[in-house]
Amino acid sequence: MFCLPMALFSTGLSAQVASIAFGAVKADPSQPVEVTADTLDVNQADGSARFVGNVVIIQGVMRLSANNVLVIYKQDESGKTGVERLEATGSVILVNGPDAAEAEKAEYTIDSGTIVMTGNVLLSQATGTLTSNRLVVDLTSGTASLSGRVKTILNGGEN
């Protein structure tokens, strides 16, 4: 119960940045990405795919849902293709273990295991909730940082 307030005070609320733990288990961005949606549109010209409607992305313990997800592919020197990043928009929800975050947009860069969420971010954890303009989640380290008008309510609570 005291971890969240201590994390906030150690970073300084006036700086408007808070670093915290995110997810009970560190995620592995090298695991396969499973995507389900109502529809899929593939653009052969630019090598992208757009999933639309009730999009759910699962990778190990991480789950991301949104109204729309654009998948950007990359190609290495040998010609092998893979997913570079996912751009989610509309009612974005990220869940990793007991922690959940909501935002208007999210961009997941697969290789780095980093998810950047922007637009009315709401982070819910067992210790409380925080709001901000931007949340950066590092799935490999199991940490997150909030920036841009970070706000939380600290309750005295009972033990």
Side-chain angles (χ1 to χ4, degrees):
M1 173 167 48
F2 295 105
C3 295
L4 178 62
M6 295 308 286
L8 290 175
F9 289 126
S10 67
T11 59
L13 284 175
S14 62
Q16 296 299 310
V17 175
S19 295
I20 55 173
F22 186 83
V25 178
K26 294 178 185 176
D28 181 2
S30 67
Q31 290 185 328
V33 176
E34 175 186 318
V35 182
T36 57
D38 293 339
T39 61
L40 167 63
D41 296 319
V42 177
N43 185 332
Q44 297 295 337
D46 68 4
S48 66
R50 181 175 301 277
F51 292 89
V52 179
N54 302 307
V55 184
V56 178
I57 297 168
I58 299 172
Q59 185 181 39
V61 296
M62 187 272 298
R63 176 187 164 124
L64 183 112
S65 62
N67 294 339
N68 297 287
V69 174
L70 178 64
V71 180
I72 309 294
Y73 291 94
K74 64 179 178 179
Q75 190 171 31
D76 65 16
E77 300 83 33
S78 66
K80 185 178 178 182
T81 61
V83 176
E84 179 180 339
R85 71 181 186 278
L86 306 171
E87 297 175 355
T89 57
S91 302
V92 179
I93 299 173
L94 171 66
V95 178
N96 189 357
D99 299 334
E102 299 176 26
E104 294 170 6
K105 297 178 184 178
E107 186 173 303
Y108 177 22
T109 306
I110 304 291
D111 289 344
S112 67
T114 303
I115 299 176
V116 178
M117 301 181 78
T118 57
N120 297 315
V121 176
L122 172 66
L123 173 61
S124 299
Q125 297 183 306
T127 55
T129 59
L130 295 111
T131 62
S132 71
N133 295 329
R134 185 170 196 248
L135 169 68
V136 178
V137 177
D138 183 337
L139 295 173
T140 58
S141 68
T143 61
S145 63
L146 295 117
S147 61
R149 295 300 302 162
V150 177
K151 179 181 175 182
T152 189
I153 297 173
L154 305 173
N155 294 321
E158 297 178 22
N159 291 340

